[in-house]
Protein backbone atom coordinates (compact mmCIF):
# COMPACT_ATOMS: atom_id res chain seq x y z
CA UNK A 1 0.00 0.00 0.00
CA UNK A 2 1.39 3.40 -0.98
CA UNK A 3 2.58 5.50 1.95
CA UNK A 4 0.93 8.53 0.35
CA UNK A 5 -2.59 7.21 0.75
CA UNK A 6 -4.64 5.45 3.38
CA UNK A 7 -7.22 2.75 2.91
CA UNK A 8 -10.32 2.09 5.00
CA UNK A 9 -11.96 -1.31 4.66
CA UNK A 10 -15.72 -1.64 5.34
CA UNK A 11 -17.03 -5.18 5.25
CA UNK A 12 -20.49 -6.73 5.14
CA UNK A 13 -21.22 -10.46 5.25
CA UNK A 14 -20.45 -12.03 1.86
CA UNK A 15 -23.24 -13.94 0.14
CA UNK A 16 -22.96 -17.56 -0.89
CA UNK A 17 -20.09 -20.02 -0.51
CA UNK A 18 -16.57 -18.80 0.14
CA UNK A 19 -15.51 -20.38 -3.15
CA UNK A 20 -17.15 -17.62 -5.21
CA UNK A 21 -13.76 -16.14 -6.06
CA UNK A 22 -11.92 -19.26 -7.24
CA UNK A 23 -9.00 -19.45 -9.61
CA UNK A 24 -9.34 -19.35 -13.40
CA UNK A 25 -7.08 -22.27 -14.21
CA UNK A 26 -9.64 -24.24 -16.20
CA UNK A 27 -9.31 -22.01 -19.23
CA UNK A 28 -5.79 -20.59 -18.86
CA UNK A 29 -4.42 -22.90 -21.54
CA UNK A 30 -7.23 -21.76 -23.85
CA UNK A 31 -6.39 -18.10 -23.28
CA UNK A 32 -2.68 -18.71 -23.90
CA UNK A 33 -3.44 -20.45 -27.17
CA UNK A 34 -5.92 -17.73 -28.18
CA UNK A 35 -3.25 -15.11 -27.56
CA UNK A 36 -0.77 -17.08 -29.66
CA UNK A 37 -3.23 -17.17 -32.55
CA UNK A 38 -3.87 -13.45 -32.21
CA UNK A 39 -0.14 -12.70 -32.26
CA UNK A 40 0.20 -14.73 -35.44
CA UNK A 41 -2.40 -12.50 -37.06
CA UNK A 42 -5.00 -15.14 -37.86
CA UNK A 43 -7.46 -14.49 -35.06
CA UNK A 44 -11.17 -14.06 -35.69
CA UNK A 45 -14.22 -14.67 -33.55
CA UNK A 46 -14.87 -17.92 -35.40
CA UNK A 47 -11.27 -19.00 -34.84
CA UNK A 48 -11.55 -18.34 -31.11
CA UNK A 49 -14.90 -20.16 -30.86
CA UNK A 50 -13.53 -23.13 -32.77
CA UNK A 51 -10.49 -23.18 -30.49
CA UNK A 52 -12.70 -23.06 -27.42
CA UNK A 53 -14.92 -25.84 -28.75
CA UNK A 54 -11.87 -28.08 -29.20
CA UNK A 55 -9.97 -27.11 -26.06
CA UNK A 56 -12.73 -27.00 -23.44
CA UNK A 57 -15.33 -29.32 -22.03
CA UNK A 58 -18.90 -28.45 -23.13
CA UNK A 59 -19.63 -27.06 -19.65
CA UNK A 60 -16.50 -24.87 -19.77
CA UNK A 61 -17.34 -23.55 -23.22
CA UNK A 62 -20.82 -22.67 -21.92
CA UNK A 63 -19.21 -20.79 -19.02
CA UNK A 64 -16.98 -18.83 -21.40
CA UNK A 65 -20.05 -17.85 -23.43
CA UNK A 66 -22.10 -16.96 -20.35
CA UNK A 67 -19.26 -14.79 -19.02
CA UNK A 68 -19.94 -12.28 -21.80
CA UNK A 69 -22.11 -9.30 -20.86
CA UNK A 70 -24.15 -9.57 -24.04
CA UNK A 71 -25.19 -12.79 -25.78
CA UNK A 72 -25.93 -12.69 -29.50
CA UNK A 73 -28.06 -15.13 -31.49
CA UNK A 74 -25.11 -17.38 -32.32
CA UNK A 75 -24.14 -17.60 -28.65
CA UNK A 76 -27.66 -18.60 -27.64
CA UNK A 77 -27.89 -21.19 -30.42
CA UNK A 78 -24.59 -22.73 -29.37
CA UNK A 79 -25.65 -22.80 -25.71
CA UNK A 80 -28.91 -24.54 -26.60
CA UNK A 81 -26.93 -27.11 -28.59
CA UNK A 82 -24.56 -27.67 -25.67
CA UNK A 83 -27.41 -28.13 -23.18
CA UNK A 84 -29.00 -30.92 -25.21
CA UNK A 85 -25.75 -32.87 -25.56
CA UNK A 86 -23.60 -34.63 -22.96
CA UNK A 87 -23.67 -31.80 -20.45
CA UNK A 88 -22.81 -32.09 -16.74
CA UNK A 89 -24.99 -29.42 -15.09
CA UNK A 90 -23.58 -30.12 -11.63
CA UNK A 91 -20.04 -29.47 -12.84
CA UNK A 92 -21.28 -26.40 -14.72
CA UNK A 93 -22.95 -24.96 -11.62
CA UNK A 94 -20.04 -25.76 -9.27
CA UNK A 95 -17.50 -24.21 -11.63
CA UNK A 96 -19.66 -21.12 -12.14
CA UNK A 97 -19.60 -20.57 -8.37
CA UNK A 98 -15.87 -21.15 -8.12
CA UNK A 99 -15.16 -18.73 -10.98
CA UNK A 100 -17.49 -16.08 -9.55
CA UNK A 101 -19.72 -15.86 -12.62
CA UNK A 102 -22.88 -17.49 -11.26
CA UNK A 103 -24.63 -14.08 -10.91
CA UNK A 104 -23.79 -13.30 -14.55
CA UNK A 105 -25.39 -16.58 -15.64
CA UNK A 106 -28.46 -15.81 -13.52
CA UNK A 107 -28.71 -12.40 -15.18
CA UNK A 108 -28.65 -13.95 -18.67
CA UNK A 109 -31.22 -16.60 -17.75
CA UNK A 110 -33.59 -13.90 -16.47
CA UNK A 111 -33.14 -11.62 -19.47
CA UNK A 112 -33.16 -14.25 -22.24
CA UNK A 113 -36.55 -16.05 -22.15
CA UNK A 114 -35.63 -18.48 -24.96
CA UNK A 115 -32.42 -19.48 -23.22
CA UNK A 116 -34.18 -19.72 -19.85
CA UNK A 117 -36.87 -22.05 -21.18
CA UNK A 118 -34.31 -24.28 -22.87
CA UNK A 119 -32.27 -24.43 -19.66
CA UNK A 120 -35.40 -25.16 -17.63
CA UNK A 121 -36.31 -28.10 -19.86
CA UNK A 122 -33.04 -29.93 -19.30
CA UNK A 123 -32.09 -28.92 -15.74
CA UNK A 124 -34.75 -27.05 -13.74
CA UNK A 125 -32.94 -27.89 -10.49
CA UNK A 126 -29.88 -25.94 -11.68
CA UNK A 127 -31.82 -22.96 -13.03
CA UNK A 128 -33.37 -21.67 -9.82
CA UNK A 129 -30.16 -21.41 -7.70
CA UNK A 130 -28.40 -19.46 -10.47
CA UNK A 131 -31.32 -17.04 -10.85
CA UNK A 132 -31.62 -16.76 -7.06
CA UNK A 133 -27.93 -15.94 -6.67
CA UNK A 134 -28.27 -13.09 -9.16
CA UNK A 135 -31.32 -11.76 -7.29
CA UNK A 136 -29.52 -12.04 -3.93
CA UNK A 137 -26.48 -10.29 -5.41
CA UNK A 138 -28.73 -7.41 -6.49
CA UNK A 139 -30.16 -7.11 -2.97
CA UNK A 140 -26.73 -7.38 -1.36
CA UNK A 141 -25.08 -4.85 -3.68
CA UNK A 142 -28.00 -2.45 -3.29
CA UNK A 143 -27.42 -2.46 0.48
CA UNK A 144 -23.69 -1.97 -0.05
CA UNK A 145 -24.38 1.08 -2.24
CA UNK A 146 -26.68 2.42 0.49
CA UNK A 147 -23.81 2.02 2.98
CA UNK A 148 -21.49 3.78 0.55
CA UNK A 149 -23.92 6.68 0.15
CA UNK A 150 -24.12 6.96 3.94
CA UNK A 151 -20.33 7.10 4.19
CA UNK A 152 -20.20 9.64 1.38
CA UNK A 153 -22.58 11.95 3.24
CA UNK A 154 -20.64 11.53 6.48
CA UNK A 155 -17.30 12.28 4.87
CA UNK A 156 -18.66 15.19 2.84
CA UNK A 157 -20.07 16.76 6.00
CA UNK A 158 -16.66 16.51 7.69
CA UNK A 159 -14.55 17.51 4.69
CA UNK A 160 -12.97 14.09 4.16
CA UNK A 161 -12.04 13.28 0.57
CA UNK A 162 -11.90 9.67 -0.58
CA UNK A 163 -11.79 7.45 -3.66
CA UNK A 164 -13.84 4.26 -4.01
CA UNK A 165 -11.84 1.25 -5.20
CA UNK A 166 -12.56 -2.10 -6.84
CA UNK A 167 -15.96 -3.83 -6.52
CA UNK A 168 -18.50 -0.99 -6.24
CA UNK A 169 -16.84 0.91 -9.09
CA UNK A 170 -16.45 -2.12 -11.36
CA UNK A 171 -20.03 -3.27 -10.80
CA UNK A 172 -21.41 0.03 -12.13
CA UNK A 173 -18.83 0.97 -14.77
CA UNK A 174 -17.66 -2.32 -16.30
CA UNK A 175 -20.81 -4.43 -15.98
CA UNK A 176 -24.10 -3.58 -17.67
CA UNK A 177 -25.98 -4.59 -14.51
CA UNK A 178 -24.56 -4.23 -10.99
CA UNK A 179 -26.11 -7.56 -9.98
CA UNK A 180 -23.65 -9.34 -12.26
CA UNK A 181 -20.67 -8.61 -10.00
CA UNK A 182 -20.77 -9.40 -6.28
CA UNK A 183 -18.56 -7.46 -3.87
CA UNK A 184 -18.37 -8.17 -0.17
CA UNK A 185 -16.86 -4.94 1.14
CA UNK A 186 -16.13 -1.29 0.44
CA UNK A 187 -12.51 -0.26 -0.13
CA UNK A 188 -11.87 3.47 0.26
CA UNK A 189 -8.66 5.34 -0.49
CA UNK A 190 -8.20 8.15 2.05
CA UNK A 191 -5.43 10.72 2.51
CA UNK A 192 -3.26 9.73 5.52
CA UNK A 193 -3.88 13.07 7.25
CA UNK A 194 -7.63 12.28 7.21
CA UNK A 195 -7.38 8.70 8.44
CA UNK A 196 -7.88 9.39 12.15
CA UNK A 197 -10.73 11.80 11.43
CA UNK A 198 -12.37 9.24 9.11
CA UNK A 199 -12.08 6.55 11.77
CA UNK A 200 -13.59 8.82 14.43
CA UNK A 201 -16.47 9.88 12.17
CA UNK A 202 -17.29 6.26 11.27
CA UNK A 203 -16.97 5.06 14.86
CA UNK A 204 -19.29 7.81 16.14
CA UNK A 205 -21.87 6.77 13.55
CA UNK A 206 -21.87 3.13 14.68
CA UNK A 207 -19.23 1.55 12.42
CA UNK A 208 -16.52 -0.68 13.90
CA UNK A 209 -13.06 -1.72 12.68
CA UNK A 210 -12.30 -5.43 12.24
CA UNK A 211 -9.17 -7.26 11.16
CA UNK A 212 -9.16 -9.84 8.37
CA UNK A 213 -9.97 -12.59 10.89
CA UNK A 214 -13.28 -10.94 11.73
CA UNK A 215 -12.07 -9.79 15.17
CA UNK A 216 -12.91 -6.31 16.43
CA UNK A 217 -9.79 -4.16 16.74
CA UNK A 218 -8.90 -2.11 19.80
CA UNK A 219 -8.13 1.61 19.56
CA UNK A 220 -4.44 0.84 20.10
CA UNK A 221 -4.43 -1.70 17.25
CA UNK A 222 -6.20 0.75 14.97
CA UNK A 223 -3.73 3.56 15.65
CA UNK A 224 -0.78 1.18 15.14
CA UNK A 225 -2.26 -0.04 11.85
CA UNK A 226 -2.79 3.50 10.62
CA UNK A 227 0.81 4.40 11.41
CA UNK A 228 2.10 1.42 9.44
CA UNK A 229 0.17 0.73 6.22
CA UNK A 230 -3.00 2.78 6.89
CA UNK A 231 -5.19 -0.24 6.14
CA UNK A 232 -7.93 -0.64 8.78
Amino acid sequence: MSSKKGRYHLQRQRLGPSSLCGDSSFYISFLIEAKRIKLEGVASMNTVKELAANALRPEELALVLFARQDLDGDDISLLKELFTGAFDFEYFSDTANKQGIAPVIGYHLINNPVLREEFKKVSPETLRPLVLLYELTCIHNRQMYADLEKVNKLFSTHGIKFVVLKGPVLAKTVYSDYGMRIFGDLDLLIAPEDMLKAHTVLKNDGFAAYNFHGEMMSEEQIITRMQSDYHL
Side-chain angles (χ1 to χ4, degrees):
M1 176 56 60
S2 169
S3 61
K4 294 182 179 179
K5 294 292 182 180
R7 199 171 163 206
Y8 204 99
H9 183 85
L10 303 177
Q11 183 155 347
R12 179 178 290 276
Q13 183 65 38
R14 181 180 289 275
L15 291 175
S18 59
S19 61
L20 271 175
C21 296
D23 66 90
S24 303
S25 59
F26 83 91
Y27 63 95
I28 284 178
S29 60
F30 160 66
L31 294 178
I32 292 174
E33 183 64 11
K35 185 174 182 179
R36 181 190 67 78
I37 290 176
K38 183 176 181 180
L39 289 173
E40 291 178 358
V42 295
S44 68
M45 183 54 68
N46 288 336
T47 303
V48 173
K49 286 184 177 180
E50 288 172 7
L51 173 63
N54 292 327
L56 304 178
R57 290 178 50 163
E59 301 84 9
E60 293 166 351
L61 176 55
L63 289 169
V64 171
L65 293 171
F66 266 119
R68 302 179 63 186
Q69 293 200 54
D70 299 301
L71 299 177
D72 59 28
D74 290 341
D75 295 331
I76 294 176
S77 295
L78 180 52
L79 284 168
K80 290 169 63 177
E81 182 180 337
L82 291 170
F83 293 159
T84 56
F87 197 89
D88 187 337
F89 281 91
E90 183 176 356
Y91 174 77
F92 171 80
S93 179
D94 289 345
T95 307
N97 279 317
K98 290 177 182 177
Q99 301 301 327
I101 62 171
V104 182
I105 296 173
Y107 167 84
H108 286 309
L109 292 174
I110 288 175
N111 290 280
N112 290 275
V114 174
L115 188 59
R116 181 176 65 248
E117 288 306 310
E118 190 65 35
F119 200 106
K120 187 176 181 179
K121 288 179 187 176
V122 291
S123 186
E125 68 279 3
T126 307
L127 173 69
R128 185 53 189 161
L130 291 170
V131 170
L132 181 60
L133 186 53
Y134 164 75
E135 293 172 340
L136 289 174
T137 300
C138 288
I139 295 171
H140 171 78
N141 287 359
R142 193 156 48 241
Q143 181 59 57
M144 293 296 291
Y145 283 121
D147 289 344
L148 181 58
E149 180 59 27
K150 182 178 182 180
V151 171
N152 181 42
K153 289 180 179 179
L154 283 172
F155 283 2
S156 295
T157 299
H158 292 84
I160 301 171
K161 296 180 180 180
F162 69 98
V163 176
V164 184
L165 304 175
K166 303 191 308 184
V169 180
L170 293 173
K172 281 201 171 183
T173 59
V174 176
Y175 293 82
S176 55
D177 184 289
Y178 67 75
M180 299 169 79
R181 206 282 192 184
I182 191 170
F183 53 94
D185 55 26
L186 302 175
D187 288 287
L188 311 178
L189 198 63
I190 303 170
E193 61 269 20
D194 285 335
M195 285 296 292
L196 185 57
K197 183 197 289 189
H199 166 65
T200 301
V201 168
L202 291 171
K203 179 183 176 182
N204 290 343
D205 200 69
F207 288 90
Y210 293 83
N211 61 26
F212 288 111
H213 301 292
E215 303 162 338
M216 186 177 292
M217 299 173 66
S218 66
E219 286 295 311
E220 182 180 355
Q221 290 174 321
I222 293 169
I223 298 300
T224 300
R225 194 67 181 269
M226 283 193 290
Q227 291 173 341
S228 57
D229 60 7
Y230 307 110
H231 194 176
L232 301 188

